[in-house]
């Protein structure tokens, strides 16, 4: 019975190349990477999708992830072009800079395939999306969720993503946007 359980577990969790940085874990569901910012408890791991060639990236835990900018690349960097989906648990409040940037195959956030639905929407509890629109395949109208907690417009980086067709500003919680968003009409509520 133990052997059957072990084989079943290995069939659903795919190991990926270990990262040699300061993040512990090997990126599996059983041994996820610790990607916590100070004072947080966030883990991340990859699972292989049914096609055997792509991955879903999971963020689970409580609080914020660390930033992955400059020389501090995310531990899934070698697989980032094969990540098609991301799942962000509702207790994760921030995805650090560079975490999703360059995931050129990314089309799906928490089950919403943007190419099928025609809109991009991030979980409302996120105060930072970590330049998640930069160099991805997320496409369609960007919609800010009801109760959006976005804290800083500087994290809305769309460079390298020409797939955004328009922006629905209805639930945007801030008074200003970054200059590179001026191609989309912005009229904050009074």
């Amino acid at each position: 019975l133990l052997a059957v359980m072990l084989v079943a577990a290995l069939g659903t969790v795919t190991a990926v190349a270990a990262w040699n940085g300061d993040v512990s874990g090997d990126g599996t569901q059983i041994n996820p990477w610790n990607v916590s910012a100070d004072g947080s408890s966030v883990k991340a791991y990859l699972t292989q999708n049914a096609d055997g060639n792509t991955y879903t990236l999971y963020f689970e835990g409580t609080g914020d992830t660390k930033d992955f900018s400059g020389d501090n690349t995310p531990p899934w960097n070698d697989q980032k072009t094969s990540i098609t989906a991301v799942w962000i648990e509702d207790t994760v409040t921030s995805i650090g800079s560079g975490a999703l940037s360059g995931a050129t195959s990314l089309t799906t956030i928490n089950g919403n395939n943007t190419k099928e639905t025609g809109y991009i929407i991030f979980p409302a509890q996120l105060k930072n999306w970590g330049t998640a629109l930069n160099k991805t395949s997320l496409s369609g109208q960007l919609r800010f969720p009801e109760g959006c907690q976005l804290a800083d417009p500087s994290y809305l980086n769309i460079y390298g993503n020409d797939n955004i067709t328009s922006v629905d500003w209805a639930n945007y919680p801030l008074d200003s946007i970054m200059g590179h968003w001026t191609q989309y009409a912005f009229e904050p509520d009074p």
Side-chain angles (χ1 to χ4, degrees):
L1 181 61
L2 181 58
V4 171
M5 289 173 49
L6 181 59
V7 169
L10 290 175
T12 59
V13 178
T14 302
V16 294
W19 190 59
N20 60 2
D22 64 348
V23 177
S24 61
D26 66 5
T28 63
Q29 187 174 12
I30 294 170
N31 190 21
W33 294 297
N34 178 0
V35 295
S36 304
D38 291 339
S40 295
S41 177
V42 181
K43 306 285 185 188
Y45 61 91
L46 292 171
T47 61
Q48 196 169 44
N49 296 330
D51 66 10
N53 298 314
T54 61
Y55 298 95
T56 297
L57 174 61
Y58 290 85
F59 292 99
E60 297 178 348
T62 304
D64 305 338
T65 73
K66 65 189 305 179
D67 282 337
F68 297 102
S69 53
D71 293 335
N72 187 24
T73 58
W76 49 87
N77 198 52
D78 290 343
Q79 293 83 18
K80 73 180 174 183
T81 60
S82 298
I83 296 171
T84 59
V86 63
W87 188 268
I88 305 165
E89 194 170 60
D90 63 3
T91 51
V92 173
T93 53
S94 179
I95 302 299
S97 288
L100 302 177
S101 181
T104 55
S105 298
L106 179 62
T107 61
T108 304
I109 305 168
N110 286 22
N112 174 44
N113 183 321
T114 65
K115 289 189 176 201
E116 292 175 3
T117 64
Y119 65 88
I120 305 164
I121 191 164
F122 283 83
Q125 83 278 359
L126 292 181
K127 61 184 179 184
N128 174 1
W129 298 351
T131 64
L133 298 167
N134 185 15
K135 298 180 183 174
T136 67
S137 291
L138 297 172
S139 62
Q141 180 187 59
L142 175 65
R143 295 181 181 178
F144 293 92
E146 187 174 334
C148 183
Q149 298 297 307
L150 187 68
D152 185 344
S154 66
Y155 291 110
L156 290 174
N157 185 335
I158 60 172
Y159 292 119
N161 185 336
D162 297 326
N163 303 317
I164 298 170
T165 58
S166 63
V167 177
D168 179 348
W169 298 101
N171 295 314
Y172 185 72
L174 304 172
D175 295 329
S176 64
I177 62 167
M178 295 295 285
H180 59 276
W181 282 84
T182 56
Q183 68 198 67
Y184 304 104
F186 174 65
E187 297 177 15
D189 291 335

